[in-house]
Amino acid sequence: TYIDQQGRERFAPVAVVMATQKGHLAALSAEGDDERHRVLDLRSGRYLDTTRWIDVDLHSLPGFALVTRFDGPTDQYDGNGQLGVMDGSGRMITPPKYSSVHPANNGYLLVELKGKYGVLDPEGREALPPVYDEVDIPTWDGTPYFRPLNDGKYGLFDRQGTLLVPVQYASVELESGHPYIIVSDGRDGNGFYDRTGRAVVPFAQQGLQIPYGTDGRFIEASYGDYTGIYHSSGRLLVPKEYNEFSYYLADGWIVGRRLDSAYLFDTAGRRLGGAYNELAPGSNGLVAASLGEKAGYLDRSGATAIPFVYDIAKPFSEGLAAVRQGSRWGYIDPKGKLAIALSDWNDAGAFRDGLAPVERDSLTGFINRSGKLLTPFAFAAAREFSDGVALVRTGARWGLIDRKGRQLAAPQYDNVDDFSDGLAAVQRAGKWGYIDRKGREAIAPQFDSYHDFKNGTALVKKNGEWIRIDKKGREVEKNN
């Protein structure tokens, strides 16, 4: 018998051959039952039904009984019975009919019937009928899906059993963080479905990709040497006539290149103006453009905003843009007026944090918005300022300075990357680590390869294995 926590017997003692228990259910094979099992509710002390099952599994589906019926003599049972699911009240959720049942991930069960496979959900209900050659249950961003295979072709169902992708593709892939279901024809083409099962774009001859930084809003479709752009709604925005695209979504522009020419588009796919040698969108609603031997600026409509009178024109940043006339560099405002006089610099960079790098005789210093030199021309190379610090190279080694040129990290690194999420990747003796904005080594160089930090973690490669680390260098997960 079983007793409760008060020591009370839950049912009259019975001589048993075998007994198992899980939660409030027990499976008993009593003497005289011919090694058959009955399911007992320990809360009431009553059997749930009168059936004597050849086998009862209380562990594969918590809270339920997986029962097996076999109509022949017990001594002839060879493991090939009919399986069904009974709930904790004795109600048959799924009648005995399956030849095998196997636990899968996320509480689901794979069931087999006549050599075909389907899926039972965690409540014992048939979520996918057993009509497929194979079924697996991948998880996509935490949500399970059913991916069946029939005659060498894959499809996809959601966890409610709703068809998302017809069973007709050579592959159906779900990538973490990717907004679309990726399908392939097994040759050169692939296509995208969204999470509701809507076909977003038709097959491309060589492939589809989501451009970095567009958050799935745009999809590039390649056809031979040419590429076009689809919106996530499935609408073709830019025809398949260009070799590559660059995206400046914060400012509302896309730049397409075809052979040696650049073209400006807005994010609705409208082409603005004609062909240029180069286009470089910046702030203040202006785009640096070069045509022939001269450079100027375009407005949001693609019309000339600042005349093409410069030899080089760089994008606007913090309200100023570097321009070169002849051999001298200066800075103009959005109206085209000279804000910092032309000087004998060899090059001039963008303003960040109110400072801009300028170069003279192959060495770099920093000026403020009035054109005053704040640091000497002492650096062989320099990155732009960010949050009050800049990465600079002295000789062959990189270090870190503040706005006054004071050294925060001595020149000691062979290579560096920009700050991201408060840390910058640095390389020393072939290994990568990270420094903070005070120049301290937050994580000593020890990695073979790295990614920038984002939301407090970064992917790094160590001893041939990719792992995810936090800002103290502690491993938080392995990554395949």
Side-chain angles (χ1 to χ4, degrees):
T1 188
Y2 287 85
I3 60 173
D4 62 20
Q5 291 181 328
Q6 286 72 42
R8 296 172 298 196
E9 291 182 353
R10 299 310 299 159
F11 62 95
V14 59
V16 298
V17 177
M18 185 183 301
T20 60
Q21 176 192 357
K22 181 70 174 179
H24 72 278
L25 297 178
L28 301 180
S29 178
E31 289 183 353
D33 280 344
D34 194 25
E35 297 184 12
R36 301 288 176 129
H37 300 74
R38 287 190 289 172
V39 182
L40 178 72
D41 183 349
L42 295 176
R43 297 171 301 186
S44 65
R46 295 187 177 90
Y47 289 109
L48 294 183
D49 71 345
T50 60
T51 307
R52 287 171 170 77
W53 307 100
I54 193 70
D55 190 29
V56 175
D57 176 2
L58 301 177
H59 297 276
S60 295
L61 203 58
F64 297 84
L66 185 60
V67 296
T68 303
R69 187 178 70 194
F70 180 68
D71 296 330
T74 300
D75 60 4
Q76 294 182 13
Y77 177 61
D78 58 0
N80 294 316
Q82 295 173 305
L83 289 82
V85 178
M86 177 191 296
D87 70 12
S89 67
R91 182 170 59 96
M92 293 302 302
I93 303 297
T94 305
K97 64 179 181 178
Y98 304 111
S99 54
S100 69
V101 177
H102 306 282
N105 56 340
N106 296 290
Y108 289 89
L109 296 176
L110 291 178
V111 294
E112 180 186 1
L113 178 63
K114 297 179 180 179
K116 296 291 187 177
Y117 292 88
V119 178
L120 299 185
D121 69 16
E123 300 298 319
R125 294 184 291 262
E126 195 172 86
L128 195 67
V131 295
Y132 301 100
D133 297 336
E134 296 179 16
V135 178
D136 72 330
I137 307 177
T139 299
W140 188 20
D141 295 335
T143 301
Y145 290 80
F146 309 143
R147 180 167 50 195
L149 172 69
N150 251 3
D151 298 326
K153 301 295 184 182
Y154 289 93
L156 194 73
F157 291 80
D158 66 17
R159 59 182 174 178
Q160 284 78 39
T162 302
L163 180 66
L164 301 179
V165 177
V167 185
Q168 65 184 40
Y169 295 102
S171 69
V172 175
E173 301 297 333
L174 307 175
E175 295 182 6
S176 178
H178 197 293
Y180 299 109
I181 303 162
I182 308 167
V183 299
S184 170
D185 62 6
R187 296 185 294 276
D188 295 327
N190 58 25
F192 287 166
Y193 284 77
D194 68 16
R195 295 179 188 242
T196 68
R198 179 178 60 89
V200 179
V201 294
F203 270 88
Q205 292 179 7
Q206 290 187 343
L208 302 172
Q209 67 173 354
I210 298 175
Y212 178 77
T214 64
D215 298 325
R217 291 168 53 191
F218 302 98
I219 301 166
E220 291 186 0
S222 299
Y223 296 79
D225 294 331
Y226 294 96
T227 299
I229 301 176
Y230 285 87
H231 188 263
S232 58
S233 65
R235 180 168 58 92
L236 181 65
L237 294 182
V238 179
K240 299 169 280 292
E241 301 172 356
Y242 301 89
N243 303 121
E244 62 179 343
F245 295 95
S246 300
Y247 297 82
Y248 306 86
L249 301 187
D251 301 306
W253 284 302
I254 300 171
V255 174
R257 293 202 64 87
R258 182 170 60 210
L259 300 178
D260 295 327
S261 297
Y263 301 84
L264 187 65
F265 299 86
D266 63 18
T267 54
R270 292 184 291 263
R271 199 167 94 177
L272 309 174
Y276 295 88
N277 296 17
E278 299 291 340
L279 291 169
S283 59
N284 295 90
L286 297 173
V287 179
S290 62
L291 183 62
E293 299 296 325
K294 291 298 180 180
Y297 294 86
L298 308 178
D299 63 17
R300 289 196 175 278
S301 69
T304 299
I306 298 175
F308 284 59
V309 296
Y310 306 105
D311 296 298
I312 297 177
K314 293 190 176 183
F316 273 88
S317 175
E318 297 185 359
L320 296 175
V323 294
R324 194 189 82 185
Q325 284 187 308
S327 61
R328 295 162 64 83
W329 286 87
Y331 289 82
I332 61 173
D333 66 17
K335 294 184 179 180
K337 295 181 180 179
L338 200 61
I340 297 177
L342 296 171
S343 300
D344 58 348
W345 300 322
N346 304 125
D347 198 2
F351 272 91
R352 296 286 188 272
D353 280 0
L355 300 177
V358 292
E359 181 183 316
R360 176 182 292 166
D361 297 330
S362 300
L363 293 175
T364 298
F366 287 89
I367 61 171
N368 63 14
R369 293 178 61 85
S370 65
K372 180 181 178 181
L373 188 67
L374 296 187
T375 69
F377 289 97
F379 307 113
R383 302 287 179 90
E384 296 164 346
F385 265 86
S386 173
D387 291 335
V389 297
L391 292 157
V392 295
R393 180 163 61 86
T394 303
R397 298 286 185 266
W398 287 85
L400 188 71
I401 62 171
D402 66 11
R403 292 174 59 86
K404 295 183 178 181
R406 293 176 298 199
Q407 192 176 89
L408 301 178
Q412 57 184 296
Y413 300 110
D414 303 319
N415 206 347
V416 295
D417 203 347
D418 293 327
F419 278 91
S420 175
D421 201 13
L423 297 179
V426 294
Q427 186 186 46
R428 184 173 58 220
K431 298 293 184 181
W432 288 91
Y434 297 87
I435 62 172
D436 64 19
R437 293 188 184 279
K438 293 184 178 180
R440 300 173 300 197
E441 284 191 358
I443 304 171
Q446 57 190 282
F447 306 113
D448 302 318
S449 190
Y450 75 97
H451 285 274
D452 290 336
F453 268 86
K454 184 177 181 180
N455 298 323
T457 67
L459 283 173
V460 294
K461 190 176 185 180
K462 187 175 183 179
N463 299 327
E465 183 179 43
W466 284 98
I467 59 175
R468 186 175 295 277
I469 59 171
D470 65 14
K471 289 188 175 182
K472 293 186 177 181
R474 297 174 300 200
E475 182 180 320
V476 294
E477 69 173 287
K478 295 189 185 300
N479 197 295
N480 293 325

